[in-house]
């Protein structure tokens, strides 16, 4: 389903997730998070990953503003619940019906301390 890697910069967290996904034949999207990241950007990535059965890695997830993180948490929870239930379609937090490839989708975050 995914995971969260935490550690100092330059230790290979993102590269490990990307290489592991490729070894399993998964399409891996790596998104470099920043202060400018908004709720809709997170939603689009989650809906896209769910419908394509891809892995998404939110690199440096801790850079996202707190007000966006609170909404992102509910979006991620909604997606993970659909994954656990092995659903083929689910209602996303914005009310859109979304296709789900639960067997192959993966959600990851990487964070640096501080």
């Amino acid at each position: 389903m995914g995971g969260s890697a935490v550690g100092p910069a330059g230790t290979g967290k993102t590269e490990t997730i990307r290489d592991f996904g490729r070894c399993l034949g998964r399409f891996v999207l790596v998104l470099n998070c920043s202060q400018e990241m908004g709720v809709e950007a997170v939603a689009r990535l989650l809906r896209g990953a769910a419908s394509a059965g891809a892995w998404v890695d939110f690199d440096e997830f801790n850079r996202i503003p707190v007000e966006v993180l609170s909404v992102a948490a509910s979006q991620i929870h909604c997606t993970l619940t659909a994954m656990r239930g092995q659903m083929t379609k689910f209602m996303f937090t914005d009310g859109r019906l979304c296709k789900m490839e639960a067997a192959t989708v993966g959600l990851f975050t990487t964070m640096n301390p501080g």
Side-chain angles (χ1 to χ4, degrees):
M1 286 177 48
S4 182
V6 179
T11 55
K13 300 176 296 294
T14 301
E15 291 77 12
T16 300
I17 293 168
R18 186 177 51 225
D19 292 345
F20 184 51
R22 286 182 181 163
C23 286
L24 294 175
R26 303 292 187 253
F27 183 76
V28 182
L29 298 167
V30 176
L31 175 73
N32 295 314
C33 299
S34 68
Q35 289 289 329
E36 290 79 34
M37 186 156 200
V39 172
E40 185 56 35
V42 175
R44 278 193 311 265
L45 280 163
L46 290 172
R47 286 192 311 261
S51 64
W55 284 15
V56 63
D57 177 16
F58 293 96
D59 190 28
E60 299 201 27
F61 193 65
N62 51 312
R63 288 189 180 182
I64 298 175
V66 174
E67 53 276 359
V68 175
L69 282 175
S70 63
V71 177
S74 66
Q75 293 171 336
I76 291 169
H77 179 268
C78 177
T79 307
L80 288 173
T81 301
M83 288 168 63
R84 275 189 218 104
Q86 296 290 311
M87 301 172 136
T88 57
K89 292 183 182 177
F90 71 105
M91 191 64 66
F92 198 68
T93 56
D94 59 5
R96 295 182 189 181
L97 188 61
C98 185
K99 181 181 161 200
M100 169 62 81
E101 295 291 334
T104 58
V105 69
L107 303 178
F108 297 87
T109 63
T110 57
M111 295 178 271
N112 295 329

